[in-house]
């Protein structure tokens, strides 16, 4: 587990500066690697391979030229660095909990004659911090201009900040400043916009975009409050009032702050009408004289607004008399009885047709026998002296 002798390291140093050791990519004994990118705090795997090892071992060293592994032997006591695979043709190691200081060129060497090397550039991405929004002042008034600032530190390379107001994208001005560690950056952005009443309760969102986040959302929101003059709308209940009904005219006010005072007036009436139930005007029993135009004024400390409603009292709904109701009931009962009688006659006729056709016969024997009650025999004489012809009829 000890460090390699100084002779191979000296040979490596000489070879690295030798003009002929710059590029031997066509040589089977030339090792090859790949550049790696890792997020700070993550794990990177360095893999070095060679086709013809010439009975020599592969070695990994860090940007400070400290040997990490020589074959399967650990050279640097750093528990973050572990052996992944060691064969005559491959040497792979891993570095966990990568820090920004681990960034740089790592060297894979094979101690042939001459010594051959390959470089692997490790890039460490600095994760940007959650952005912070400043500059908000409460109690913005409608049509005021607001300016907000957003800042995020620790990104490498520099992150990009974006703004949104609800579903609308805002364009901000971004600035980049290098952090004192000389590796990461602090980005800041400011945005200026005019507020409207529709912006009341809207979230202004600042998001940071960076490749280290891999699409994850990292943003901060600031909810803004906008003060604006009230509006009002009059809603009748019921919608189509009639004479004699109870009516409520609701004055629905909206604003920030919400209107606290409501005043009702009727055109042509001098004194203001009395408000009884919250913002509603109540008519216990409507009369034709209540028709007219009514106004409701909603007031807050931001101002006032008057809404109007024209009330037309319709005639009362016709009420059916008791006598007409009685006749309608009697007529329904009679119609039902007639319907039952018709059904009964139909069934009775059908029954008689099926059971009354009985075949009756009567033979004439020259006696004065009385005819059967259910059979009528009619004798038709063909002449005065001729024989009797008997004909039978079914009744």
């Amino acid at each position: 587990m000890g460090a390699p002798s100084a002779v191979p390291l000296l040979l490596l140093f000489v070879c690295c500066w030798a003009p002929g050791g710059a590029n031997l990519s066509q040589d089977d004994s030339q090792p090859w690697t790949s550049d790696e990118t890792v997020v700070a705090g993550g794990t990177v795997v360095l893999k070095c391979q060679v086709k013809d090892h010439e009975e020599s071992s592969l070695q990994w060293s860090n940007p400070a030229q400290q040997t990490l592994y020589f074959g399967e032997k650990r050279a640097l006591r750093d528990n973050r660095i572990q052996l992944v695979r060691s064969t005559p043709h491959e040497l792979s190691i891993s570095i966990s909990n990568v820090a920004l200081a681990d960034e740089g060129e790592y060297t894979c060497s094979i101690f042939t004659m001459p010594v051959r090397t390959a470089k692997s550039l490790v890039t460490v991405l600095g994760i940007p911090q959650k952005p912070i929004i400043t500059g908000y002042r409460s109690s913005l008034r409608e049509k005021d201009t607001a300016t907000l600032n957003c800042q995020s530190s620790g990104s490498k390379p520099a992150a990009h900040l974006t703004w949104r107001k609800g579903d609308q994208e805002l364009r901000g001005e971004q600035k980049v400043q290098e952090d004192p560690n000389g590796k990461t950056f602090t980005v800041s952005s400011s945005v200026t916009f005019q507020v409207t009443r529709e912006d009341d309760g809207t979230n202004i969102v600042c998001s940071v975009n960076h490749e280290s986040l891999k699409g994850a959302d990292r943003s901060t929101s600031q909810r803004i409050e906008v003060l604006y003059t009230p509006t009002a709308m009059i809603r009748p209940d019921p919608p189509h009032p009639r004479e004699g009904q109870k009516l409520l005219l609701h004055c629905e006010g909206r604003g920030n702050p919400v209107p606290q005072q409501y005043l009702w007036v009727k055109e042509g009436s001098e004194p203001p009408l009395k408000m009884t139930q919250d913002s509603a005007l109540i008519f216990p029993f409507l009369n034709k004289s209540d028709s007219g135009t009514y106004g409701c004024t909603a007031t807050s400390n931001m101002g006032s607004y008057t809404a109007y409603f024209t009330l037309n009292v319709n005639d009362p709904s016709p009420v059916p008399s008791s006598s007409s109701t009685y006749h309608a009931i009697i007529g329904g009962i009679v119609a039902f009885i007639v319907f039952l009688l018709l059904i009964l006659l139909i069934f009775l006729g059908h029954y008689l047709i099926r059971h009354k056709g009985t075949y009756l016969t009567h033979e004439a024997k020259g006696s004065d026998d009385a005819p059967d009650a259910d059979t009528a025999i009619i004798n038709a004489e063909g002449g005065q002296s001729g024989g009797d012809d008997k004909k039978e009829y079914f009744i």
Side-chain angles (χ1 to χ4, degrees):
M1 300 298 293
S5 62
V7 175
L9 293 176
L10 181 59
L11 292 175
L12 173 63
F13 178 81
V14 173
C15 178
C16 290
W17 289 98
N23 185 6
L24 298 175
S25 58
Q26 302 302 321
D27 191 348
D28 288 344
S29 298
Q30 174 64 39
W32 71 88
T33 62
S34 60
D35 294 340
E36 303 293 339
T37 300
V38 61
V39 178
T43 300
V44 63
V45 176
L46 302 179
K47 184 177 182 179
C48 181
Q49 294 176 291
V50 66
K51 187 174 182 181
D52 184 6
H53 57 85
E54 296 185 9
E55 303 299 328
S56 183
S57 298
L58 294 169
Q59 172 186 286
W60 273 111
S61 56
N62 63 14
Q65 293 304 312
Q66 295 173 311
T67 302
L68 304 178
Y69 267 89
F70 183 74
E72 61 181 10
K73 297 179 180 180
R74 181 197 297 269
L76 186 66
R77 293 185 178 180
D78 189 341
N79 292 330
R80 300 180 305 134
I81 305 173
Q82 298 293 328
L83 179 65
V84 176
R85 181 181 176 85
S86 177
T87 68
H89 300 280
E90 178 185 338
L91 179 60
S92 297
I93 63 173
S94 66
I95 306 175
S96 60
N97 196 20
V98 175
L100 294 173
D102 295 321
E103 184 175 82
E105 276 192 342
Y106 288 75
T107 304
C108 175
S109 307
I110 185 169
F111 291 94
T112 57
M113 292 299 293
V115 177
R116 296 172 174 85
T117 62
K119 302 290 185 180
S120 175
L121 178 60
V122 175
T123 302
V124 180
L125 302 179
I127 303 176
Q129 298 177 1
K130 186 176 182 178
I132 300 174
I133 296 178
T134 58
Y136 173 71
R137 59 181 179 88
S138 59
S139 302
L140 289 170
R141 292 176 176 265
E142 187 177 16
K143 296 183 180 180
D144 279 355
T145 299
T147 299
L148 299 179
N149 302 306
C150 182
Q151 181 175 291
S152 174
S153 303
S155 59
K156 179 183 175 298
H160 180 67
L161 299 176
T162 59
W163 291 93
R164 290 196 323 273
K165 182 180 70 171
D167 296 330
Q168 178 186 358
E169 184 175 349
L170 301 177
R171 180 172 296 181
E173 298 181 0
Q174 179 163 307
K175 296 180 180 180
V176 178
Q177 183 179 359
E178 189 177 59
D179 292 334
N181 59 20
K183 295 181 177 295
T184 59
F185 298 89
T186 295
V187 291
S188 58
S189 177
S190 61
V191 65
T192 302
F193 56 95
Q194 188 180 57
V195 297
T196 64
R197 62 180 57 201
E198 287 76 17
D199 294 329
D200 183 39
T202 300
N203 285 324
I204 308 298
V205 181
C206 176
S207 302
V208 56
N209 300 321
H210 195 263
E211 54 186 309
S212 66
L213 300 176
K214 298 180 180 179
D217 178 66
R218 180 156 295 186
S219 59
T220 299
S221 62
Q222 173 64 63
R223 186 179 183 273
I224 62 174
E225 181 184 9
V226 180
L227 304 178
Y228 58 93
T229 56
T231 58
M233 180 183 68
I234 299 176
R235 178 177 58 85
D237 182 22
H240 305 289
R242 292 182 178 274
E243 188 177 10
Q245 287 183 327
K246 178 181 178 180
L247 173 67
L248 277 77
L249 292 181
H250 297 277
C251 187
E252 299 176 346
R254 178 177 179 269
N256 189 15
V258 177
Q260 299 295 327
Q261 181 180 353
Y262 295 89
L263 180 65
W264 286 93
V265 295
K266 180 181 180 183
E267 289 187 355
S269 177
E270 288 297 330
L273 301 175
K274 187 176 181 180
M275 184 185 68
T276 56
Q277 189 183 71
D278 295 334
S279 60
L281 184 63
I282 301 177
F283 299 85
F285 192 87
L286 273 178
N287 295 314
K288 286 285 188 179
S289 60
D290 293 324
S291 297
T293 300
Y294 293 81
C296 170
T297 301
T299 303
S300 70
N301 57 9
M302 290 296 295
S304 60
Y305 181 89
T306 302
Y308 294 94
F309 177 79
T310 300
L311 173 62
N312 294 316
V313 180
N314 300 317
D315 293 331
S317 301
V319 180
S321 62
S322 59
S323 60
S324 61
T325 303
Y326 173 77
H327 290 304
I329 294 175
I330 295 300
I333 294 175
V334 172
F336 181 71
I337 294 175
V338 172
F339 176 75
L340 290 179
L341 290 176
L342 287 176
I343 296 296
L344 182 61
L345 289 176
I346 291 173
F347 275 97
L348 183 60
H350 183 69
Y351 176 81
L352 291 177
I353 290 173
R354 293 188 61 182
H355 295 83
K356 194 174 181 180
T358 305
Y359 183 81
L360 303 175
T361 59
H362 180 76
E363 295 182 356
K365 299 179 180 180
S367 60
D368 294 328
D369 296 336
D372 190 87
D374 294 329
T375 308
I377 303 175
I378 302 176
N379 296 326
E381 296 183 357
Q384 294 181 356
S385 59
D388 295 334
D389 295 331
K390 298 179 181 180
K391 295 184 180 178
E392 297 177 354
Y393 294 88
F394 298 94
I395 298 176

